[in-house]
Amino acid sequence: MLEPFGVTGSEETLYRALLAAGDATPAALAESVGQSPALTGRRLRALEAKGLVVRTRGRSVRFRAAPPDLAIEVLALDQQQRIERARAAAAELAALRPGGARSRGVPLMVVRGPEANTRRYLQAQLAARDEVLILDKPPYLADGVEPQYDLQLELMARGVTYRTVYDSRSLEEPGQFERVERLVRAGSGPGWWTVFPSRC
């Protein structure tokens, strides 16, 4: 569950054990999860560096799990900052290409293969903060229809507005008209959907 934040499965096991125990010594924790004391010590230090555990004061060394809501929020914010820094670095990297910083052209990405197309299509939507504009026309990649529908509902619930122009043939696809109706009902804020004849 915490792997996206750089937390390994074994580290998460320790974190969960500490959440259940309240606090524990490294030795007791190692015994409870079936890990060697040395390995447990290294993993506890890794969790401490990520802000998921803290040392308690006292004669013996004990660890306590940081509250999940606060600790994970800090990890999420830290990851978001890294993403923003990577985006900022994109301009510097672009300058390394021939004509990089001087280029005024529109960036073009060629995506080949049905799986890669579906993945890139969904990724592009995940990057949206305010609005997604779509031209919807069959034929569809079969494996992409339901993931697209589920993702659109999720992003709309977060406040992202979808504006879609549908080719009339798209509404002849099995279940498509019902999906569109549900998306329209689920939409919040301004939005529209338009259907054009197949010949357009």
Side-chain angles (χ1 to χ4, degrees), residues 22-72:
D23 63 55
T25 64
L29 191 59
E31 184 177 353
S32 70
V33 298
Q35 298 177 1
S36 71
L39 193 56
T40 298
R42 288 197 296 272
R43 288 172 176 162
L44 281 171
R45 287 191 293 275
L47 288 170
E48 187 178 20
K50 293 165 186 167
L52 287 169
V53 305
V54 295
R55 297 173 190 254
T56 62
R57 295 183 177 181
R59 290 186 175 181
S60 61
V61 177
R62 302 180 72 87
F63 285 86
R64 176 176 298 160
D69 52 347
L70 296 177
I72 294 174

Side-chain angles (χ1 to χ4, degrees), residues 183-198:
L183 289 171
V184 172
R185 288 196 300 269
S188 59
W192 46 259
W193 59 302
T194 304
V195 179
F196 280 102
S198 298

Side-chain angles (χ1 to χ4, degrees), residues 81-137:
Q81 289 175 352
R82 290 197 299 271
I83 292 172
E84 292 300 328
R85 287 195 295 270
R87 285 174 173 163
E92 297 179 22
L93 295 174
L96 299 177
R97 300 177 59 193
R102 299 185 300 276
S103 175
R104 299 288 183 179
V106 176
L108 177 66
M109 176 183 292
V110 178
V111 181
R112 292 185 174 88
E115 292 184 5
N117 271 278
T118 299
R119 185 169 59 252
R120 187 68 188 96
Y121 179 52
L122 299 177
Q123 287 173 344
Q125 293 173 70
L126 284 169
R129 297 184 179 181
D130 301 308
E131 185 178 66
V132 175
L133 305 178
I134 296 177
L135 297 175
D136 188 298
K137 181 179 180 179

Side-chain angles (χ1 to χ4, degrees), residues 10 15 30 57 65 72 79 85 89 91 113 118 124-125 131 141 145 152 160:
S10 298
Y15 179 63
R57 295 183 177 181
I72 294 174
Q79 187 176 71
R85 287 195 295 270
T118 299
Q125 293 173 70
E131 185 178 66
L141 297 173
V145 174
Q152 183 166 342
V160 176

Side-chain angles (χ1 to χ4, degrees), residues 140 145-146 149 170-183:
Y140 301 122
V145 174
E146 288 304 321
Y149 173 70
S170 71
L171 302 183
E172 298 171 2
E173 295 285 319
Q176 179 73 340
F177 190 83
E178 290 76 14
R179 278 190 289 267
V180 171
E181 284 189 316
R182 289 196 294 270
L183 289 171

